[in-house]
Amino acid sequence: MLHVKLTRPKREADYRVAEAYKALRTNIQFCGVENKVIMLTSSTPGEGKTSTSFNLAASLAEIGKKVVLIDADMRKSNLVKRYMVEVRVKGLSQFLSGQNSIEEVLYETSIPNLHMIFAGAVPPNPAELLNGAVFEKMVKAMKDAYDYIIIDTPPLGSVTDAAVVSRLCDGVVFVCAAGEVRRKFAQDIVRQVTAAGSKLLGVVLTKAENGGKGYYNKYYGRYYGKYGNE
C-alpha cells in the first residue's frame, strides 16, 4: 500500500479543537455500531466540512478504529493542499473511471489506522461516477475491511453529488457555519437529506463566536457542535 505523510494546520492542533472532535467521535459511537458509513456535507463551501471530515476520521483512528476517509468532493477538493501532502497522488476519479486499481489509490497515512482515498483529477462527470456500480461495490467491500468509512462530499446546496452518495451511507452529518447560512436554507438542505431516505445523525456547528462565558465556551470554543440523533 502507498504511504503519505500528513501535516495538520496549527489551528487544528489546538487543545480545545481536539477536545471538540473527541466529543464528536464519542457521539458518533453512541449513534450505534451499525452506522459505519458516514457522509459529511454542508450547505455551501467554506463551512468547515473537510476539516470536520478529516479530524473525525483521525480521531476515530486514534482510539484504534480502522478508518478510511474517502474524498468524494471531486469537483473542488482541498485535502491535499490543506494537509500538505507533498507527493503527487492518484485518487477516486482515476479509480472510478477505470484508470487505476483500488490498490493504486488507497493510501496509508502517517496517522496509524487511518487510510485515505483522495479525490484525484477533476473529472467531467463526478455525479455519474458516484452514481455508478463501481463506487457502490467499493463502499460495500470497504464495510468488511474497516470499522468506519468517512466520506467527504460537496455541499448539498451546490450540486447533487452528496445526494447520490447518501444512498450508500448509514448516516449523514451536516456541517453548518454559524452566521454564514440562512436558517431556511439550512433547513431546506436537512429536508433534502431526510427526503432522500438518509438518516441524519446530527449537526456540527462551526465558526461559533467564542465570546461567551462559562464552561461551555471556555472548554469547547468555536469548533464545538451538536451531535447525536436528531
Side-chain angles (χ1 to χ4, degrees), residues 209-229:
E209 290 295 330
N210 190 25
K213 297 179 180 180
Y215 178 81
Y216 178 92
N217 287 281
K218 179 180 179 182
Y219 190 69
Y220 290 109
R222 65 191 290 262
Y223 288 89
Y224 185 75
K226 290 187 176 181
Y227 318 114
N229 293 308

Side-chain angles (χ1 to χ4, degrees), residues 43-121:
S43 300
T44 60
E47 295 189 71
K49 168 183 61 62
T50 295
S51 295
T52 304
S53 298
F54 177 85
N55 284 283
L56 171 59
S59 186
L60 287 164
E62 286 164 1
I63 59 169
K65 301 297 182 182
K66 191 174 182 182
V67 184
V68 59
L69 172 60
I70 301 173
D71 185 0
D73 191 351
M74 294 183 285
R75 297 174 188 268
K76 197 175 181 182
S77 172
N78 63 0
L79 262 173
V80 170
K81 181 179 179 180
R82 180 185 296 273
Y83 297 101
M84 302 178 207
V85 178
E86 296 180 353
V87 298
R88 188 170 183 176
V89 296
K90 296 176 181 177
L92 186 62
S93 61
Q94 283 100 333
F95 170 68
L96 296 181
S97 60
Q99 299 177 56
N100 292 97
S101 67
I102 190 67
E103 291 79 13
E104 293 172 322
V105 302
L106 182 62
Y107 291 83
E108 180 183 38
T109 75
S110 49
I111 298 174
N113 303 312
L114 177 61
H115 295 167
M116 291 182 66
I117 296 179
F118 296 95

